Amino acid sequence: DQQVKQNSPSLSVQEGRISILNCDYTNSMFDYFLWYKKYPAEGPTFLISISSIKDKNEDGRFTVFLNKSAKHLSLHIVPSQPGDSAVYFCAATPWGNAGNNRKLIWGLGTSLAVNP
Amino acid sequence: DVKVTQSSRYLVKRTGEKVFLECVQDMDHENMFWYRQDPGLGLRLIYFSYDVKMKEKGDIPEGYSVSREKKERFSLILESASTNQTSMYLCASRSRAEQFFGPGTRLTVL
């Protein structure tokens, strides 16, 4: 039973446009969310995170939005570049619940292709 | 910068062999993790360790064991490799909520 869902396995976007990757979660105990990027044959790299006390976090071209009532978060990449082509994973944890927060719960990933 | 290294990038083994995958981190992190990644299945947690000699099963521990004798080193052991263990294996260590990954080991079991 997937507690973190990325319903789009793939996404294709034109260079320079906005990429929006979506993530839904079911566990209301999750209070910290992370996005990772993964290139083929490499380990995932941490991209950006957001705590449930915020609804937006921005880092350069990357912005994550959190809608707690809808249990939904999204990653916006503006403008998209060909080097952004990768698999993006959403992850969540009940960070405020000490003792139960050691693991991250992962989505299955969305493969983003940014076309020149 | 956090550095997580894995002993091999590519490994080819035969069915029934015992396989050791080693992971070392240089940031004194207490928590370390082993995942496997397969197409369409995302990252699946095999085992994790929250302290030296402490371990906990993840979602798919069958066919695997782990060893954490020193804080910086976390080893994944395939007791008797099988073809369905052909996969990309990823090690990570944790600082606060973020996990930092090694480059991965692509294991092929023939």
Side-chain angles (χ1 to χ4, degrees):
Chain A
D1 187 27
Q2 284 285 121
Q3 295 186 67
V4 175
K5 298 177 186 177
Q6 295 178 254
N7 290 319
S8 298
S10 62
L11 177 68
S12 184
V13 168
Q14 211 58 32
E15 180 179 5
R17 306 294 292 268
I18 183 171
S19 295
I20 300 176
L21 296 95
N22 293 305
C23 180
D24 296 294
Y25 61 96
T26 57
N27 190 336
S28 58
M29 298 299 293
F30 291 154
D31 58 6
Y32 196 81
F33 305 89
L34 306 92
W35 285 94
Y36 282 77
K37 178 168 80 172
K38 186 182 183 303
Y39 294 118
E42 293 184 14
T45 54
F46 170 71
L47 199 54
I48 193 169
S49 61
I50 188 165
S51 162
S52 60
I53 62 172
K54 294 185 173 182
D55 55 16
K56 176 182 172 181
N57 190 24
E58 196 170 350
D59 183 3
R61 297 186 296 114
F62 302 91
T63 303
V64 56
F65 296 92
L66 175 62
N67 182 333
K68 288 187 290 292
S69 60
K71 294 191 177 72
H72 176 83
L73 62 154
S74 60
L75 175 69
H76 293 211
I77 307 173
V78 184
S80 302
Q81 299 173 354
D84 296 329
S85 298
V87 177
Y88 289 79
F89 290 100
C90 171
T93 181
W95 182 244
N97 184 4
N100 197 30
N101 62 2
R102 293 188 175 122
K103 298 191 295 185
L104 291 177
I105 309 301
W106 297 84
L108 296 184
T110 296
S111 179
L112 172 66
V114 179
N115 305 308
Chain B
D1 275 357
V2 177
K3 187 148 188 193
V4 180
T5 56
Q6 294 184 229
S7 49
S8 304
R9 291 300 302 272
Y10 300 94
L11 210 51
V12 179
K13 295 292 181 180
R14 298 210 172 271
T15 302
E17 279 193 80
K18 191 168 186 175
V19 182
F20 292 87
L21 302 181
E22 301 257 307
C23 175
V24 177
Q25 51 98 359
D26 66 354
M27 286 302 292
D28 204 36
H29 291 162
E30 289 182 351
N31 290 203
M32 296 185 74
F33 305 80
W34 274 106
Y35 295 89
R36 63 179 282 179
Q37 188 204 2
D38 301 286
L41 297 178
L43 298 172
R44 292 185 292 167
L45 181 65
I46 304 171
Y47 266 98
F48 68 102
S49 169
Y50 48 92
D51 205 345
V52 174
K53 296 191 189 293
M54 306 299 285
K55 62 186 179 186
E56 196 166 315
K57 291 179 180 178
D59 301 316
I60 51 163
E62 296 79 17
Y64 303 94
S65 61
V66 290
S67 172
R68 185 111 181 258
E69 296 296 320
K70 293 185 177 181
K71 194 172 188 179
E72 68 270 19
R73 190 178 298 268
F74 190 34
S75 302
L76 179 70
I77 303 150
L78 287 66
E79 296 291 341
S80 177
S82 63
T83 54
N84 64 10
Q85 292 179 309
T86 291
S87 187
M88 167 72 103
Y89 288 88
L90 294 160
C91 173
S93 70
R94 197 192 85 174
S95 171
R96 293 179 49 79
E98 289 82 10
Q99 292 185 14
F100 299 89
F101 286 83
T105 296
R106 168 65 65 184
L107 172 68
T108 302
V109 183
L110 301 175

